[in-house]
């Protein structure tokens, strides 16, 4: 198969970054909301020297009470209400219902390979502009030639 440079990198982008987004999207679509209360801010250690802030959120599902670690530095005070999203089949898979709480790790984990692909796409010596990319089933698998 022969592709132009933008089409090739678009397909590679979808193959590498797409699963991160698809998994999180399925998680969001299957999740349910629950009312919660910001209980307190905690502080732990990530290693010997690095302090890590986090929040403790208490939320309710039916008559049961659960706790979840949230993001650090949330713009709420102890006792204020906050929404939580959780999986009905795994109540402990819960997150604070803010953009960074739900999508933050997905952005980081998918952003790193996306940045690498962007550098490879933009760099003129990796795949020159106007060149074609041929994908085959035997070595070298990918061939690049300029027109």
């Amino acid at each position: 198969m022969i592709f132009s440079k933008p089409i090739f990198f678009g397909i590679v982008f979808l193959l590498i970054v797409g699963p991160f987004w698809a998994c999180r999207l399925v998680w969001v679509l299957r999740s349910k909301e629950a009312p919660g209360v910001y209980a307190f801010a905690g502080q732990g250690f990530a290693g010997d020297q690095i302090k890590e802030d986090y929040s403790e959120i208490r939320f309710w599902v039916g008559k049961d009470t659960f706790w979840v670690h949230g993001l650090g530095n949330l713009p709420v005070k102890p006792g204020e209400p906050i929404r939580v999203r959780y999986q009905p089949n795994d109540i402990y898979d819960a997150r604070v219902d803010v953009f960074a709480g739900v999508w933050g790790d997905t952005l980081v984990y998918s952003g790193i390979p996306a940045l690498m692909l962007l550098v490879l796409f933009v760099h003129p010596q990796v795949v020159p502009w106007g060149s074609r990319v041929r994908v085959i089933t035997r070595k070298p698998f990918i061939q690049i030639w300029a027109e």
Side-chain angles (χ1 to χ4, degrees), residues 36-59:
V37 171
Y38 182 84
F40 62 89
Q43 194 171 55
F45 290 94
D48 292 335
Q49 303 294 324
I50 302 170
K51 291 183 180 179
E52 178 183 45
D53 294 330
Y54 63 91
S55 57
E56 281 292 330
I57 311 293
R58 182 176 63 227
F59 69 101

Side-chain angles (χ1 to χ4, degrees), residues 24-68:
R24 182 58 63 202
L25 188 59
V26 168
W27 188 93
V28 168
L29 292 174
R30 290 183 177 174
S31 68
K32 300 217 182 278
E33 279 190 356
V37 171
Y38 182 84
F40 62 89
Q43 194 171 55
F45 290 94
D48 292 335
Q49 303 294 324
I50 302 170
K51 291 183 180 179
E52 178 183 45
D53 294 330
Y54 63 91
S55 57
E56 281 292 330
I57 311 293
R58 182 176 63 227
F59 69 101
W60 298 271
V61 176
K63 293 186 179 186
D64 295 326
T65 303
F66 298 93
W67 291 84
V68 65

Side-chain angles (χ1 to χ4, degrees), residues 43-131:
Q43 194 171 55
F45 290 94
D48 292 335
Q49 303 294 324
I50 302 170
K51 291 183 180 179
E52 178 183 45
D53 294 330
Y54 63 91
S55 57
E56 281 292 330
I57 311 293
R58 182 176 63 227
F59 69 101
W60 298 271
V61 176
K63 293 186 179 186
D64 295 326
T65 303
F66 298 93
W67 291 84
V68 65
H69 286 298
L71 302 168
N73 303 321
L74 285 173
V76 293
K77 294 179 180 159
E80 287 187 28
I82 191 163
R83 304 297 297 174
V84 173
R85 294 196 82 78
Y86 69 95
Q87 292 296 308
N89 58 351
D90 183 8
I91 199 77
Y92 297 104
D93 186 10
R95 296 170 176 266
V96 178
D97 193 12
V98 295
F99 182 80
V102 175
W103 291 95
D105 58 345
T106 303
L107 286 172
V108 171
Y109 296 144
S110 66
I112 293 169
L115 269 166
M116 288 184 204
L117 283 173
L118 180 65
V119 168
L120 292 174
F121 178 74
V122 172
H123 197 287
Q125 292 179 348
V126 176
V127 180
W129 290 104
S131 61

